[in-house]
Amino acid sequence: MNFGTSLCQHRKSRKLSQTEIAEQIGTCQSTYSAWESDKAALPAEYFIKLAYVFEVELTALVPQALSEWVKKVPIQQHSTQEELVIIQKQMIVFLSQQVEQLKAENERLRRTYPGSNRSVA
């Protein structure tokens, strides 16, 4: 299952429209629609917001997005050791950026909703 299909299933299980989800996470319906149809990548700051709205752990969303990124990595059967090291470094940078964006968004949400007992991580 691709990431967009997963978003769609989470949304439908909550009986929410794309517009309702978009409003709850602070974006427009067309942007959310692009994420569900895999026409655009989901920015990291929206992972926490969606996990909160869908009432799922963040780990339910992140592995799918990472697997989509990995599918796009140009690993060939004939890749050299140097090429694989470069790809590994790119993956580390990608993951580090995602983690930092998620931490910042999580902190912002904690300040916005200080009494909330919800956990998304």
Side-chain angles (χ1 to χ4, degrees):
M1 169 187 341
N2 62 24
F3 185 66
T5 302
S6 173
L7 285 180
C8 184
Q9 287 180 346
H10 282 296
R11 177 179 58 79
K12 287 181 178 180
S13 73
R14 293 271 175 234
K15 296 180 176 34
L16 294 169
S17 69
Q18 288 183 347
T19 301
E20 290 169 320
I21 294 289
E23 288 173 357
Q24 289 185 40
I25 63 173
T27 192
C28 63
Q29 181 275 331
S30 61
T31 298
Y32 182 83
S33 176
W35 298 335
E36 275 195 9
S37 61
D38 290 315
K39 292 180 180 173
L42 178 70
E45 65 266 20
Y46 288 98
F47 280 100
I48 290 177
K49 292 177 181 181
L50 286 170
Y52 186 82
V53 170
F54 294 146
E55 297 181 3
V56 297
E57 291 190 11
L58 187 58
T59 54
L61 299 176
V62 174
Q64 294 161 348
L66 179 58
S67 69
E68 292 297 315
W69 184 86
V70 169
K71 287 178 191 174
K72 297 173 187 171
V73 174
I75 297 176
Q76 307 284 327
Q77 187 175 9
H78 308 305
S79 293
T80 66
Q81 184 67 28
E82 292 81 20
E83 291 170 330
L84 294 174
V85 168
I86 290 169
I87 291 168
Q88 183 181 25
K89 287 180 180 179
Q90 290 172 340
M91 183 178 284
I92 290 168
V93 168
F94 170 79
L95 291 172
S96 298
Q97 290 170 341
Q98 299 297 306
V99 166
E100 291 306 312
Q101 290 177 1
L102 291 171
K103 284 181 182 177
E105 182 61 18
N106 198 26
E107 184 57 35
R108 189 191 70 71
L109 287 172
R110 285 184 196 184
R111 287 192 307 272
T112 304
Y113 306 103
S116 176
N117 292 328
R118 279 189 175 166
S119 172
V120 293

